[in-house]
Amino acid sequence: MKNSLKNRIEIVIADITKQKVDAIVNAANNSLLGGGGVDGAIHRAAGKELLEECRTLGGCKTGEAKITKGYNLLSKQVIHTVGPIWRGGNNNEDNLLANCYKNSLQLAVENKIRTIALPAISTGVYSFPIERATKIAINSVKEFLSNNLTLEKVIFVCFSESDYLVYQSIIDKI
Ligand code: APR
């Protein structure tokens, strides 16, 4: 990967709610009314005002993204996206997951966001296989960053050592 891109992508093991970035991305569900996993963690950390704002958004289609304030989070804003539920791989899951990353970064650029943290969308409750999801995540972000110079830093936030190792092994290969 070109050096300029390498400097703009980071992979860490962390709690995304603690990231000091302009925006964090939430792996939400279509209702946008909270849930478990990273969605639950973000809502807990942001406070009830986040849910109040989410209530005004009218949900979110799979693969699309919507933006809110961050409230009590360290990040000013939250970009909520809805990943595909894994159903075996023949239900357009790959494209929908790629759209989550592209639409989230596009919304970030439109909102003058310069630094953003991304969880491993769909790889928890939604059961998307981690290696396949990571290839899609890294390729989508790389492609977007090569066409968009305004985003200074994209941080892939892994919640486990095993996910981190998958990200590291894949990013070195592409
Ligand atoms: N920080 C970073 N990553 C986290 C955190 C956290 N605090 N908590 C969980 N994760 C990781 C999980 O380990 C997984 O790798 O986020 C990734 C996505 O997993 P989920 O949160 O389960 O999200 P997803 O698989 O996209 O399923 C979405 O789960 O929580 C519900 O409301 C949500 O219905 C939606 C579904």
Side-chain angles (χ1 to χ4, degrees):
M1 180 163 43
K2 276 193 307 210
N3 210 7
S4 58
L5 265 189
K6 238 180 165 55
N7 302 338
R8 295 165 66 197
I9 296 177
E10 232 176 278
I11 303 170
V12 300
I13 304 174
D15 175 346
I16 201 167
T17 65
K18 306 274 191 302
Q19 294 299 297
K20 292 186 182 60
V21 288
D22 295 344
I24 62 173
V25 172
N26 180 22
N29 58 55
N30 297 116
S31 75
L32 290 186
L33 300 180
V38 71
D39 195 6
I42 288 173
H43 275 273
R44 274 193 301 280
K48 65 176 176 37
E49 291 173 289
L50 176 60
L51 182 58
E52 283 161 18
E53 184 176 357
C54 284
R55 282 212 175 93
T56 69
L57 298 178
C60 183
K61 288 198 183 81
T62 301
E64 297 190 2
K66 292 196 177 176
I67 193 166
T68 65
K69 294 188 200 70
Y71 301 103
N72 302 333
L73 284 163
L74 298 174
S75 61
K76 289 194 287 285
Q77 292 177 288
V78 181
I79 290 176
H80 306 262
T81 192
V82 182
I85 296 170
W86 179 255
R87 291 195 173 91
N90 300 316
N91 292 272
N92 201 30
E93 292 100 322
D94 289 2
N95 288 333
L96 286 168
L97 185 60
N99 289 346
C100 285
Y101 288 100
K102 291 176 192 163
N103 288 328
S104 296
L105 296 186
Q106 183 56 37
L107 197 51
V109 166
E110 287 163 10
N111 286 272
K112 301 192 178 10
I113 284 156
R114 295 277 181 275
T115 59
I116 188 165
L118 299 160
I121 301 165
S122 281
T123 66
V125 168
Y126 283 1
S127 313
F128 206 113
I130 182 71
E131 285 83 3
R132 188 168 171 151
T134 302
K135 282 193 190 107
I136 292 167
I138 292 173
N139 280 320
S140 306
V141 167
K142 262 188 61 199
E143 186 192 335
F144 188 90
L145 289 182
S146 40
N147 299 320
N148 261 286
L149 301 181
T150 55
L151 264 180
E152 287 160 14
K153 181 71 81 175
V154 173
I155 304 172
F156 285 113
V157 180
C158 302
F159 207 48
S160 68
E161 166 96 22
S162 61
D163 285 1
Y164 174 81
L165 292 173
V166 171
Y167 270 80
Q168 280 297 0
S169 72
I170 290 173
I171 202 155
D172 293 342
K173 288 201 191 84
I174 53 178

